[in-house]
Amino acid sequence: MKTLRPFPKDFLWGAATSAYQVEGAAQLEGKKLSQQDVINRRPGVADAEVASDHYHRYKEDVALMKELGLRSYRFSLAWARIFPDGVGDPNPQGVQFYHHLLDELQKAGITPIVTLYHYDMPLALVEKYDGWIDRQSVADFAYYTEFVLREYGGKVKYWLTINEQSIIVQYWTKKNLIPEKYLDDPQVRYQINHHMNLAHATACKLVHQLVPGGMVGAAINTAPIYPLTSTPCDVMAAQNALDVRNLFYLDVYFKGQYNKAAFIYLEEMGVAPKIEPGDLELFREGYSDFLALNYYSSDCAKFPPPDAQRTESGVNYTGKKGEIDSYETMPDFFQIVRNPNCDTTDWDWAIDPTGLEYLLRDIYTRYGKPLMITENGLGFFDKLEDDGTVHDDYRIDYLRSHIRAVQRAMHYGVEVLSYNPWSFMDLLSTENGYQKRYGFVYVDRGEEDLRTLDRIKKDSYYWYQQVIASGGQKL
């Protein structure tokens, strides 16, 4: 094996979570509901009311982070905990909670990487004007962001704006509460995206104005897209899918404009967003300092048959391979398919560490901006043994291969600031509750049975502890 350049000494080895997936206390101490608190209510599946109870156990959790050796912690603020109605007066208890958390991280020597928005639009704004569908959302997000930056800007250098904008668009009816009147109008999802682009750019401007030395960027879920075959039509389909699923977002962040091929296609399909005067100027003014990547799998595309109809990205709810309910199809442009050359997780996500190296090198070549990994991990049916241990060698193997991919990309010149795998602890999976676990730390609860909520270190915890202590040399 080639000897690779070592990780830099200031590399931020970390882990990640999000507010609604770990905090719980969904309606306690002044917090009101977010749309995710409602979306996650499904019979037989855990919801966000308690989640992993991080709100009450954050000191214990940060102590475990410190013992693990984390140098960074990527987490999100719950908009509805700070502003229960989205705007108006802040909730003092919610504001203080994040001060306490940031202070605890500071004492532990852990650098916070803070996400402003992780799917959880305050329910009050969804009820008021349909959330991101309405342009008022941009102004209200700016109101929230400005308060947050003035409140915590002295404690946080790295800011993430919107988590997984591309996923919010792909799964627009699963990541947003969409009123029934919009469900047959696919243009709405691209209008949502446009408003989030404006919100992102506004937040970037505010960070540059209000946080001296602050750095800001989006956290985007991206995947390399391979052609199913080497036939020219499949290669072209892969390019089309790249334009719509990746560059449509990244070009806005770094070029201040929509990807032309993707926008022309959306115009032809009658689903392009409405753009108002000054919008593109705001895109250019709200520049990003870096890009954060959430990487789990790669995608594969072929050219669709002539009679193909539009289909949206599907979900595997069961954890049985092959039971994903659909793949995305854009007629006369691309059709996403399973890659026969990659194994998958139990939830039909391709396992492809090489894809992470490919993605890092490709994006860095295109835009020349520093990169972070803010999510990367393996969801699995972890088992708590009778002796109180959790053996997750499969997770160790997955993370080891992806860390090597990051190191290879850095060896060839890519600037990567941090690696924050998903997730520090078991948390509420957006689609799959607690059956699908990602954490280094096991949380003792079931879907509806809260059990003890005790924290139990998995084998991967001890392995990652050694990785961090060795600066990535002991994998």
Side-chain angles (χ1 to χ4, degrees):
M1 183 182 295
K2 177 186 290 190
T3 300
L4 301 175
R5 294 185 179 93
F7 287 94
K9 294 191 183 304
D10 61 351
F11 189 74
L12 293 175
W13 295 98
T17 66
S18 85
Y20 80 89
Q21 293 175 277
V22 296
E23 285 181 3
Q27 298 181 82
L28 297 180
E29 298 192 356
K31 183 183 179 293
K32 294 185 180 178
L33 293 174
S34 77
Q35 65 177 5
Q36 274 301 324
D37 296 328
V38 177
I39 290 171
N40 273 108
R41 290 174 178 166
R42 297 194 307 278
V45 179
D47 61 27
E49 283 294 324
V50 176
S52 299
D53 200 31
H54 176 64
Y55 185 81
H56 295 111
R57 300 172 184 236
Y58 71 92
K59 287 189 177 182
E60 175 188 357
D61 294 337
V62 173
L64 284 167
M65 294 178 199
K66 182 179 181 180
E67 184 182 345
L68 179 55
L70 294 192
R71 298 177 186 175
S72 62
Y73 174 46
R74 183 260 171 138
F75 65 98
S76 71
L77 308 177
W79 184 350
R81 193 176 299 286
I82 295 172
F83 287 104
D85 295 309
V87 291
D89 295 330
N91 169 30
Q93 291 166 293
V95 172
Q96 199 58 42
F97 168 72
Y98 293 114
H99 274 301
H100 290 324
L101 176 57
L102 287 166
D103 291 345
E104 205 70 18
L105 291 169
Q106 193 276 328
K107 286 189 291 185
I110 298 171
T111 297
I113 301 172
V114 177
T115 309
L116 292 165
Y117 180 79
H118 198 116
Y119 302 162
D120 49 357
M121 170 73 75
L123 184 62
L125 299 185
V126 178
E127 293 173 341
K128 187 176 180 180
Y129 53 63
D130 301 333
W132 289 111
I133 294 172
D134 194 286
R135 194 178 172 98
Q136 180 61 35
S137 59
V138 180
D140 290 348
F141 183 75
Y143 179 90
Y144 155 68
T145 297
E146 181 171 354
F147 175 86
V148 162
L149 296 178
R150 292 187 185 279
E151 191 73 25
Y152 308 116
K155 299 179 179 181
V156 179
K157 175 182 179 180
Y158 296 110
W159 293 91
L160 305 177
T161 55
I162 295 173
N163 179 74
E164 296 189 340
Q165 194 171 324
S166 59
I167 295 298
I168 295 172
V169 175
Q170 278 179 241
Y171 297 93
W172 66 292
T173 61
K174 295 181 175 69
K175 305 302 183 185
N176 302 278
L177 275 178
I178 303 293
E180 190 173 349
K181 63 184 177 181
Y182 298 111
L183 292 179
D184 293 328
D185 183 2
Q187 189 273 344
V188 167
R189 68 174 177 164
Y190 296 104
Q191 200 61 46
I192 287 171
N193 178 68
H194 185 66
H195 296 157
M196 287 191 293
N197 279 329
L198 295 170
H200 162 82
T202 301
C204 288
K205 286 185 67 175
L206 286 168
V207 170
H208 294 140
Q209 291 167 9
L210 299 176
V211 184
M215 295 182 67
V216 61
I220 190 81
N221 184 294
T222 46
I225 301 169
Y226 310 130
L228 178 62
T229 72
S230 59
T231 58
C233 63
D234 282 354
V235 174
M236 198 67 248
Q239 178 64 58
N240 293 339
L242 176 70
D243 287 344
V244 169
R245 291 167 72 103
N246 288 6
L247 304 187
F248 185 64
Y249 308 94
L250 301 185
D251 282 1
V252 170
Y253 299 155
F254 295 110
K255 295 182 177 180
Q257 63 187 31
Y258 282 110
N259 176 272
K260 291 183 178 179
F263 200 86
I264 289 169
Y265 176 79
L266 296 180
E267 285 183 317
E268 291 173 343
M269 298 296 288
V271 297
K274 299 181 180 71
I275 300 175
E276 294 187 6
D279 286 358
L280 299 184
E281 286 78 6
L282 178 58
F283 286 179
R284 289 188 284 273
E285 292 169 0
Y287 63 90
S288 298
D289 299 302
F290 63 88
L291 180 69
L293 303 178
N294 295 351
Y295 179 80
Y296 293 94
S297 65
S298 56
D299 284 325
C300 187
K302 70 174 185 178
F303 202 84
D307 59 348
Q309 301 296 308
R310 184 181 64 85
T311 58
E312 296 182 356
S313 298
V315 175
N316 180 327
Y317 289 102
T318 66
K320 297 178 182 178
K321 288 187 181 186
E323 293 197 357
I324 188 169
D325 52 18
S326 66
Y327 290 97
E328 185 176 30
T329 300
M330 290 285 202
D332 198 37
F333 219 50
F334 68 85
Q335 181 175 350
I336 300 298
V337 295
R338 186 188 182 283
N339 187 341
N341 297 301
C342 289
D343 192 9
T344 69
T345 70
D346 291 336
W347 283 268
D348 290 322
W349 293 7
I351 299 173
D352 180 16
T354 301
L356 178 54
E357 179 188 359
Y358 180 96
L359 192 67
L360 289 167
R361 289 176 59 181
D362 181 62
I363 291 175
Y364 192 71
T365 297
R366 290 176 189 274
Y367 304 109
K369 293 287 188 178
L371 303 173
M372 288 185 175
I373 309 298
T374 45
E375 291 184 29
N376 173 232
L378 178 67
F380 209 85
F381 294 101
D382 292 346
K383 181 184 178 183
L384 179 62
E385 303 290 349
D386 292 341
D387 64 356
T389 58
V390 180
H391 304 304
D392 57 344
D393 288 348
Y394 40 84
R395 181 166 294 108
I396 293 171
D397 291 343
Y398 178 97
L399 293 172
R400 178 189 291 121
S401 64
H402 284 78
I403 290 172
R404 283 178 175 152
V406 174
Q407 189 176 13
R408 285 194 301 269
M410 295 176 73
H411 178 84
Y412 287 110
V414 179
E415 185 181 0
V416 183
L417 303 174
S418 70
Y419 178 72
N420 301 275
W422 191 261
S423 53
F424 166 66
M425 61 200 295
D426 289 343
L427 40 67
L428 176 65
S429 174
T430 303
E431 307 293 346
N432 303 106
Y434 277 83
Q435 63 171 331
K436 186 182 186 184
R437 294 175 180 264
Y438 283 92
F440 293 113
V441 176
Y442 186 92
V443 176
D444 182 28
R445 66 157 295 168
E447 294 300 334
E448 297 177 289
D449 178 7
L450 292 178
R451 299 206 290 263
T452 66
L453 290 167
D454 284 349
R455 277 66 167 136
I456 298 160
K457 301 165 195 171
K458 304 179 189 178
D459 288 355
S460 61
Y461 180 99
Y462 298 104
W463 169 80
Y464 192 47
Q465 187 179 53
Q466 186 178 60
V467 171
I468 296 172
S470 69
Q473 294 185 49
K474 293 185 178 179
L475 293 176

Coordinates of all heavy atoms in Angstrom, one line a residue, residues 376-436:
N376 N -20.8 10.9 7.8 CA -20.4 9.7 7.1 C -20.5 8.6 8.1 O -19.9 8.6 9.2 CB -18.9 9.9 6.7 CG -18.3 8.6 6.1 OD1 -17.2 8.2 6.5 ND2 -19.0 8.0 5.1
G377 N -21.3 7.6 7.8 CA -21.5 6.5 8.8 C -22.3 5.4 8.2 O -22.8 5.4 7.1
L378 N -22.4 4.4 9.1 CA -23.1 3.1 8.7 C -24.3 2.9 9.7 O -24.1 2.7 10.9 CB -22.2 2.0 8.7 CG -22.8 0.6 8.4 CD1 -23.2 0.5 7.0 CD2 -21.8 -0.5 8.7
G379 N -25.5 2.9 9.2 CA -26.7 2.5 10.0 C -26.8 1.0 10.0 O -26.7 0.3 9.0
F380 N -27.1 0.5 11.2 CA -27.1 -1.0 11.4 C -28.0 -1.4 12.5 O -28.3 -0.6 13.4 CB -25.7 -1.5 11.6 CG -25.4 -2.9 11.1 CD1 -25.1 -3.1 9.8 CD2 -25.6 -4.0 11.9 CE1 -24.8 -4.4 9.3 CE2 -25.4 -5.3 11.5 CZ -25.0 -5.5 10.2
F381 N -28.4 -2.6 12.5 CA -29.2 -3.2 13.6 C -28.2 -3.6 14.8 O -28.0 -4.8 14.9 CB -30.0 -4.4 13.2 CG -31.1 -4.1 12.2 CD1 -30.9 -4.4 10.8 CD2 -32.3 -3.6 12.6 CE1 -31.9 -4.1 9.9 CE2 -33.3 -3.3 11.7 CZ -33.1 -3.6 10.3
D382 N -27.7 -2.7 15.5 CA -26.8 -3.0 16.6 C -27.5 -3.8 17.7 O -28.6 -3.6 18.0 CB -26.2 -1.7 17.2 CG -25.3 -1.0 16.2 OD1 -24.9 -1.6 15.2 OD2 -24.9 0.2 16.5
K383 N -26.7 -4.7 18.3 CA -27.2 -5.5 19.4 C -26.5 -5.3 20.7 O -25.2 -5.3 20.7 CB -27.1 -7.0 19.0 CG -27.7 -7.9 20.1 CD -27.5 -9.4 19.7 CE -28.0 -10.3 20.8 NZ -27.7 -11.7 20.5
L384 N -27.2 -5.0 21.7 CA -26.6 -4.9 23.1 C -26.6 -6.3 23.7 O -27.6 -6.9 23.9 CB -27.5 -3.9 24.0 CG -27.0 -3.8 25.4 CD1 -25.7 -3.1 25.5 CD2 -28.1 -2.9 26.2
E385 N -25.3 -6.7 23.9 CA -25.2 -8.1 24.4 C -25.5 -8.2 25.9 O -25.6 -7.1 26.6 CB -23.7 -8.5 24.2 CG -23.2 -8.5 22.8 CD -23.8 -9.5 21.9 OE1 -24.5 -10.4 22.5 OE2 -23.7 -9.5 20.7
D386 N -25.7 -9.4 26.4 CA -26.1 -9.6 27.8 C -25.0 -9.0 28.8 O -25.3 -8.6 29.9 CB -26.3 -11.1 28.1 CG -27.5 -11.6 27.4 OD1 -28.3 -10.8 27.0 OD2 -27.6 -12.9 27.2
D387 N -23.8 -9.0 28.3 CA -22.7 -8.5 29.2 C -22.5 -7.0 29.1 O -21.5 -6.4 29.6 CB -21.4 -9.2 28.9 CG -20.9 -8.9 27.5 OD1 -21.5 -8.3 26.7 OD2 -19.8 -9.4 27.2
G388 N -23.4 -6.3 28.4 CA -23.4 -4.8 28.3 C -22.4 -4.3 27.2 O -22.1 -3.1 27.3
T389 N -22.0 -5.1 26.3 CA -21.1 -4.7 25.2 C -21.9 -4.6 23.9 O -23.0 -5.2 23.7 CB -19.9 -5.6 25.0 OG1 -20.5 -7.0 24.8 CG2 -19.1 -5.7 26.3
V390 N -21.3 -3.8 23.0 CA -21.9 -3.8 21.6 C -20.7 -3.9 20.6 O -19.8 -3.1 20.6 CB -22.6 -2.4 21.3 CG1 -23.1 -2.3 19.9 CG2 -23.7 -2.1 22.3
H391 N -20.8 -5.0 19.9 CA -19.7 -5.3 19.0 C -20.1 -4.9 17.5 O -21.0 -5.5 16.9 CB -19.4 -6.8 19.0 CG -19.1 -7.3 20.4 ND1 -18.0 -6.8 21.1 CD2 -19.6 -8.3 21.2 CE1 -18.0 -7.4 22.3 NE2 -18.9 -8.3 22.3
D392 N -19.4 -3.9 17.0 CA -19.8 -3.3 15.7 C -18.6 -3.2 14.8 O -18.3 -2.2 14.3 CB -20.5 -2.0 15.9 CG -19.7 -0.9 16.6 OD1 -18.7 -1.3 17.3 OD2 -20.0 0.3 16.5
D393 N -18.0 -4.4 14.6 CA -16.8 -4.4 13.7 C -17.2 -3.9 12.3 O -16.4 -3.4 11.6 CB -16.3 -5.9 13.6 CG -15.6 -6.3 14.9 OD1 -15.3 -5.4 15.7 OD2 -15.3 -7.5 15.0
Y394 N -18.4 -4.2 11.9 CA -18.9 -3.7 10.5 C -18.8 -2.2 10.4 O -18.5 -1.7 9.4 CB -20.3 -4.2 10.3 CG -21.2 -4.1 11.5 CD1 -21.8 -2.9 11.9 CD2 -21.4 -5.2 12.4 CE1 -22.6 -2.8 13.0 CE2 -22.2 -5.1 13.5 CZ -22.8 -3.9 13.8 OH -23.6 -3.7 15.0
R395 N -19.1 -1.5 11.5 CA -19.0 0.0 11.5 C -17.5 0.4 11.4 O -17.1 1.3 10.7 CB -19.7 0.6 12.7 CG -19.6 2.1 12.8 CD -20.6 2.6 13.8 NE -22.0 2.4 13.4 CZ -22.8 1.5 14.0 NH1 -22.3 0.8 15.1 NH2 -24.0 1.3 13.6
I396 N -16.7 -0.3 12.2 CA -15.2 0.0 12.2 C -14.7 -0.2 10.8 O -13.9 0.7 10.2 CB -14.5 -0.9 13.2 CG1 -14.9 -0.5 14.6 CG2 -13.0 -0.8 13.0 CD1 -14.4 -1.5 15.7
D397 N -15.0 -1.3 10.1 CA -14.6 -1.5 8.7 C -15.0 -0.4 7.8 O -14.3 0.0 6.9 CB -15.1 -2.9 8.2 CG -14.5 -4.1 9.0 OD1 -13.4 -3.9 9.6 OD2 -15.0 -5.2 8.9
Y398 N -16.3 0.0 7.9 CA -16.8 1.0 7.1 C -16.1 2.3 7.3 O -15.6 3.0 6.3 CB -18.3 1.2 7.4 CG -19.0 2.3 6.6 CD1 -19.7 2.0 5.4 CD2 -19.0 3.6 7.0 CE1 -20.4 3.0 4.7 CE2 -19.6 4.6 6.3 CZ -20.3 4.3 5.2 OH -20.9 5.3 4.4
L399 N -15.9 2.7 8.5 CA -15.3 4.0 8.8 C -13.8 4.0 8.4 O -13.3 5.0 7.9 CB -15.5 4.4 10.3 CG -16.9 4.7 10.7 CD1 -17.0 4.9 12.2 CD2 -17.5 6.0 10.0
R400 N -13.2 2.9 8.7 CA -11.7 2.8 8.4 C -11.5 3.0 6.9 O -10.6 3.8 6.5 CB -11.2 1.4 8.8 CG -9.8 1.2 8.4 CD -9.4 -0.3 8.6 NE -9.3 -0.7 10.0 CZ -10.0 -1.6 10.6 NH1 -10.9 -2.3 9.8 NH2 -9.9 -1.9 11.8
S401 N -12.3 2.4 6.1 CA -12.2 2.5 4.6 C -12.5 3.9 4.1 O -11.8 4.4 3.2 CB -13.1 1.5 3.9 OG -14.4 1.8 4.1
H402 N -13.4 4.6 4.8 CA -13.7 6.0 4.4 C -12.7 7.0 4.9 O -12.4 7.9 4.2 CB -15.1 6.3 4.9 CG -16.2 5.7 4.0 ND1 -16.6 4.4 4.2 CD2 -17.0 6.2 3.0 CE1 -17.5 4.1 3.3 NE2 -17.8 5.2 2.6
I403 N -12.1 6.7 6.1 CA -11.0 7.6 6.5 C -9.8 7.5 5.6 O -9.2 8.5 5.2 CB -10.6 7.3 8.0 CG1 -11.7 7.7 8.9 CG2 -9.3 7.9 8.4 CD1 -11.6 7.2 10.4
R404 N -9.5 6.3 5.1 CA -8.4 6.1 4.2 C -8.7 6.8 2.9 O -7.8 7.4 2.2 CB -8.2 4.6 3.9 CG -7.5 3.9 5.0 CD -7.4 2.4 4.7 NE -6.6 1.7 5.7 CZ -6.7 0.4 6.1 NH1 -7.6 -0.3 5.5 NH2 -5.9 -0.1 7.0
A405 N -10.0 6.9 2.5 CA -10.4 7.6 1.3 C -10.1 9.1 1.4 O -9.7 9.8 0.5 CB -11.8 7.3 0.9
V406 N -10.5 9.6 2.6 CA -10.2 11.0 2.9 C -8.7 11.3 2.8 O -8.3 12.3 2.3 CB -10.8 11.4 4.3 CG1 -10.4 12.8 4.6 CG2 -12.3 11.3 4.3
Q407 N -7.9 10.4 3.4 CA -6.5 10.6 3.5 C -5.9 10.6 2.0 O -5.0 11.3 1.7 CB -5.8 9.6 4.3 CG -4.3 9.8 4.6 CD -3.7 8.9 5.6 OE1 -4.3 7.8 5.9 NE2 -2.5 9.2 6.0
R408 N -6.4 9.7 1.2 CA -5.9 9.6 -0.2 C -6.2 10.9 -0.9 O -5.4 11.4 -1.7 CB -6.6 8.4 -0.9 CG -6.0 7.1 -0.5 CD -6.4 6.0 -1.5 NE -7.8 5.8 -1.6 CZ -8.5 5.0 -0.9 NH1 -7.9 4.3 0.0 NH2 -9.8 4.9 -1.0
A409 N -7.4 11.4 -0.7 CA -7.8 12.7 -1.4 C -6.9 13.8 -0.9 O -6.4 14.7 -1.7 CB -9.3 13.0 -1.1
M410 N -6.6 13.9 0.4 CA -5.7 14.9 1.0 C -4.3 14.7 0.4 O -3.6 15.7 0.2 CB -5.8 14.9 2.5 CG -7.1 15.2 3.1 SD -7.2 15.1 4.9 CE -6.3 16.5 5.4
H411 N -3.8 13.5 0.3 CA -2.5 13.2 -0.3 C -2.4 13.8 -1.6 O -1.3 14.3 -2.0 CB -2.3 11.7 -0.4 CG -1.0 11.2 -1.0 ND1 0.1 11.1 -0.2 CD2 -0.7 10.9 -2.2 CE1 1.1 10.8 -1.0 NE2 0.7 10.6 -2.2
Y412 N -3.5 13.8 -2.4 CA -3.4 14.4 -3.8 C -3.9 15.9 -3.8 O -4.3 16.4 -4.8 CB -4.3 13.6 -4.7 CG -3.6 12.3 -5.0 CD1 -4.1 11.1 -4.6 CD2 -2.4 12.2 -5.8 CE1 -3.4 9.9 -4.9 CE2 -1.8 11.1 -6.1 CZ -2.3 9.9 -5.6 OH -1.6 8.7 -5.9
G413 N -3.8 16.5 -2.6 CA -3.9 18.0 -2.6 C -5.2 18.6 -2.2 O -5.3 19.8 -2.1
V414 N -6.2 17.8 -1.8 CA -7.5 18.3 -1.4 C -7.3 18.8 0.1 O -6.8 18.1 0.9 CB -8.6 17.3 -1.4 CG1 -9.9 17.9 -1.0 CG2 -8.7 16.7 -2.9
E415 N -7.8 20.0 0.3 CA -7.8 20.6 1.7 C -9.1 20.2 2.4 O -10.2 20.7 2.1 CB -7.7 22.1 1.6 CG -7.6 22.8 2.9 CD -7.5 24.3 2.8 OE1 -7.6 24.9 1.7 OE2 -7.4 25.0 3.9
V416 N -8.9 19.3 3.4 CA -10.0 18.9 4.2 C -9.7 19.3 5.6 O -8.7 19.0 6.2 CB -10.2 17.3 4.2 CG1 -11.4 16.9 5.0 CG2 -10.3 16.9 2.7
L417 N -10.7 20.0 6.2 CA -10.5 20.6 7.6 C -10.9 19.6 8.7 O -10.3 19.7 9.8 CB -11.4 21.8 7.7 CG -11.1 22.9 6.7 CD1 -12.1 24.1 6.9 CD2 -9.7 23.5 6.8
S418 N -11.9 18.8 8.5 CA -12.4 17.9 9.6 C -13.1 16.7 9.0 O -13.4 16.6 7.9 CB -13.4 18.7 10.4 OG -14.6 18.9 9.6
Y419 N -13.2 15.7 9.9 CA -14.0 14.5 9.7 C -14.9 14.3 10.9 O -14.4 14.0 12.0 CB -13.0 13.3 9.5 CG -13.7 12.0 9.3 CD1 -14.3 11.7 8.1 CD2 -13.7 11.0 10.3 CE1 -15.0 10.5 7.9 CE2 -14.3 9.8 10.1 CZ -15.0 9.6 8.9 OH -15.6 8.4 8.6
N420 N -16.2 14.4 10.6 CA -17.2 14.3 11.7 C -18.2 13.2 11.3 O -19.3 13.5 10.8 CB -17.9 15.7 11.9 CG -16.9 16.8 12.2 OD1 -16.6 17.0 13.4 ND2 -16.5 17.5 11.2
P421 N -17.9 12.0 11.6 CA -18.8 10.9 11.2 C -20.2 11.0 11.9 O -20.3 11.6 13.0 CB -18.1 9.6 11.6 CG -17.0 10.1 12.6 CD -16.7 11.5 12.3
W422 N -21.1 10.4 11.3 CA -22.5 10.3 11.8 C -22.6 8.9 12.4 O -22.5 7.9 11.7 CB -23.5 10.5 10.7 CG -24.9 10.6 11.1 CD1 -25.9 9.6 11.2 CD2 -25.6 11.8 11.6 NE1 -27.1 10.1 11.6 CE2 -26.9 11.5 11.8 CE3 -25.1 13.1 11.8 CZ2 -27.8 12.4 12.3 CZ3 -26.1 14.1 12.2 CH2 -27.4 13.7 12.5
S423 N -22.7 8.8 13.7 CA -23.0 9.9 14.6 C -22.3 9.7 15.9 O -21.9 8.5 16.2 CB -24.5 10.0 14.9 OG -25.1 8.8 15.3
F424 N -22.2 10.7 16.8 CA -21.5 10.5 18.0 C -22.2 9.4 18.9 O -21.6 8.5 19.4 CB -21.5 11.8 18.8 CG -21.1 11.6 20.3 CD1 -19.8 11.1 20.6 CD2 -22.0 11.8 21.3 CE1 -19.5 10.9 21.9 CE2 -21.7 11.5 22.6 CZ -20.4 11.1 22.9
M425 N -23.5 9.5 18.9 CA -24.3 8.6 19.7 C -25.5 8.1 18.9 O -25.9 8.7 17.9 CB -24.8 9.3 21.0 CG -25.7 10.5 20.8 SD -25.8 11.6 22.2 CE -26.6 10.6 23.3
D426 N -26.1 7.0 19.3 CA -27.4 6.6 18.6 C -28.4 7.7 18.8 O -28.6 8.3 19.8 CB -27.9 5.3 19.3 CG -27.0 4.1 19.0 OD1 -26.2 4.2 18.0 OD2 -27.2 3.1 19.7
L427 N -29.1 7.9 17.7 CA -30.1 9.0 17.6 C -31.3 8.5 16.8 O -31.3 7.5 16.2 CB -29.5 10.3 17.1 CG -28.5 10.2 16.0 CD1 -29.1 9.8 14.7 CD2 -27.8 11.5 15.8
L428 N -32.3 9.4 16.7 CA -33.5 9.2 16.0 C -33.2 9.3 14.5 O -33.0 10.3 14.0 CB -34.6 10.2 16.4 CG -35.9 10.1 15.7 CD1 -36.6 8.8 16.0 CD2 -36.8 11.3 16.1
S429 N -33.2 8.1 13.8 CA -33.1 8.1 12.4 C -34.4 8.7 11.8 O -35.5 8.4 12.2 CB -32.8 6.7 11.8 OG -32.9 6.7 10.4
T430 N -34.2 9.7 10.8 CA -35.3 10.4 10.3 C -36.4 9.5 9.8 O -37.6 9.7 10.0 CB -34.9 11.3 9.2 OG1 -33.9 12.2 9.7 CG2 -36.0 12.2 8.7
E431 N -36.0 8.4 9.1 CA -37.0 7.5 8.5 C -37.2 6.2 9.3 O -38.2 5.5 9.1 CB -36.6 7.2 7.0 CG -36.4 8.4 6.1 CD -37.6 9.2 5.9 OE1 -38.7 8.7 6.1 OE2 -37.5 10.3 5.4
N432 N -36.2 5.8 10.1 CA -36.2 4.5 10.6 C -36.1 4.4 12.1 O -35.7 3.3 12.7 CB -35.0 3.7 10.0 CG -35.1 3.7 8.5 OD1 -34.3 4.4 7.8 ND2 -36.0 2.9 8.0
G433 N -36.3 5.5 12.9 CA -36.3 5.4 14.3 C -35.0 4.9 14.9 O -33.9 5.3 14.5
Y434 N -35.1 4.1 15.9 CA -33.9 3.6 16.6 C -33.5 2.2 16.2 O -32.6 1.6 16.7 CB -34.1 3.6 18.1 CG -33.8 5.0 18.7 CD1 -34.8 6.0 18.6 CD2 -32.5 5.3 19.2 CE1 -34.5 7.3 19.1 CE2 -32.3 6.6 19.6 CZ -33.2 7.6 19.6 OH -32.9 8.8 20.0
Q435 N -34.2 1.6 15.2 CA -33.8 0.3 14.7 C -32.5 0.5 13.9 O -31.6 -0.4 13.8 CB -34.8 -0.3 13.8 CG -35.2 0.5 12.6 CD -36.1 -0.3 11.6 OE1 -36.0 -1.5 11.6 NE2 -36.9 0.4 10.9
K436 N -32.3 1.7 13.3 CA -31.1 2.0 12.4 C -30.2 2.8 13.3 O -30.4 4.0 13.4 CB -31.6 2.7 11.2 CG -30.5 2.9 10.1 CD -31.1 3.7 9.0 CE -30.1 3.8 7.8 NZ -30.7 4.7 6.7

